[in-house]
């Protein structure tokens, strides 16, 4: 848990930014234990982005049915908050382990100078694209991730929590 999570979230909301929360999914813990953990801390409000669930590596002791566990986790989040979580992953990992998840918005990590990312097999569209981890932003020391949204202001608003 980020010790600055609630402070940063409040400051970003106060500044009028769209905000979101993020869960790094570990493949060696049950869906229920991860759900219990994230919902203890998650502060999801109307106007926020849906929870982003990052799944991009296998843990040393990955549970035998990764897909079923992840589906359970995503379903628990959707049931509790009434919104479909965003799946964050890379093309190769998604092709190998995330078949059957294309009904979730995709935040694709693919570092390239190409005009468009290469989509995982199941997805027809990306929602967000993290295209570099070497970006520069005024006022921030060091490299930052840079992302693109696949749409305009109206599409972004449609994605937000009611």
């Amino acid at each position: 848990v980020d010790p600055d999570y609630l402070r940063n979230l409040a400051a970003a909301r106060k500044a009028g930014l769209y905000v979101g929360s993020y869960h790094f999914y570990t493949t060696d813990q049950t869906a229920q234990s991860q759900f219990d953990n994230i919902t203890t801390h998650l502060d999801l409000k109307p106007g926020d982005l849906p929870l982003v669930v990052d799944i991009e590596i296998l843990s040393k002791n990955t549970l035998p049915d990764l897909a079923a566990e992840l589906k359970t986790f995503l379903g628990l989040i959707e049931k509790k908050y009434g919104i479909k979580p965003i799946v964050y992953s890379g093309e190769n990992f998604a092709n190998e382990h995330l078949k059957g998840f294309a009904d979730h918005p995709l935040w694709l990590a693919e570092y390239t100078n190409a005009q468009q990312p290469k989509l995982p097999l199941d997805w027809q569209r990306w929602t967000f694209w993290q295209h570099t981890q070497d970006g520069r932003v005024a006022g921030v020391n060091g490299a930052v991730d840079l992302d693109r949204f696949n749409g305009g202001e109206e599409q972004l608003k449609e994605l937000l929590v009611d």
Side-chain angles (χ1 to χ4, degrees):
V1 176
D2 178 353
D4 297 321
Y5 170 68
L6 292 175
R7 183 178 59 80
N8 289 341
L9 201 59
R13 284 182 180 135
K14 186 175 179 182
L17 299 173
Y18 291 112
V19 300
S21 298
Y22 174 93
H23 174 73
F24 189 84
Y25 190 88
T26 56
T27 62
D28 60 350
Q29 295 179 14
T30 66
Q32 187 65 54
S33 68
Q34 292 187 70
F35 175 77
D36 293 343
N37 178 57
I38 189 67
T39 56
T40 299
H41 305 285
L42 185 59
D43 183 26
L44 197 59
K45 294 191 182 326
D48 289 352
L49 287 167
L51 178 67
V52 177
V53 179
D54 178 338
I55 179 162
E56 56 185 310
I57 61 170
L58 297 177
S59 304
K60 184 176 180 182
N61 297 311
T62 294
L63 297 175
D65 199 344
L66 165 64
E69 285 290 325
L70 181 58
K71 280 186 187 289
T72 297
F73 178 78
L74 295 171
L76 289 167
I77 294 293
E78 188 171 352
K79 183 177 180 183
K80 180 168 179 67
Y81 296 102
I83 195 158
K84 200 171 277 291
I86 297 169
V87 172
Y88 173 98
S89 196
E91 181 211 359
N92 292 334
F93 188 91
N95 281 340
E96 188 168 343
H97 302 287
L98 301 181
K99 291 174 182 64
F101 291 90
D103 60 328
H104 289 270
L106 174 64
W107 196 319
L108 183 61
E110 183 183 335
Y111 306 137
T112 177
N113 291 325
Q115 292 298 311
Q116 292 288 323
K118 188 173 178 188
L119 287 170
L121 297 173
D122 271 12
W123 273 274
Q124 300 298 311
R125 179 179 194 281
W126 55 272
T127 302
F128 292 95
W129 171 26
Q130 185 175 17
H131 58 92
T132 185
Q133 59 187 358
D134 296 320
R136 301 285 175 208
V137 174
V140 177
N141 293 328
V144 297
D145 298 337
L146 294 180
D147 302 88
R148 294 183 182 146
F149 176 68
N150 192 7
E153 185 78 17
E154 285 306 311
Q155 289 85 11
L156 183 60
K157 287 179 180 177
E158 290 171 7
L159 187 62
L160 302 176
V161 174
D162 289 328

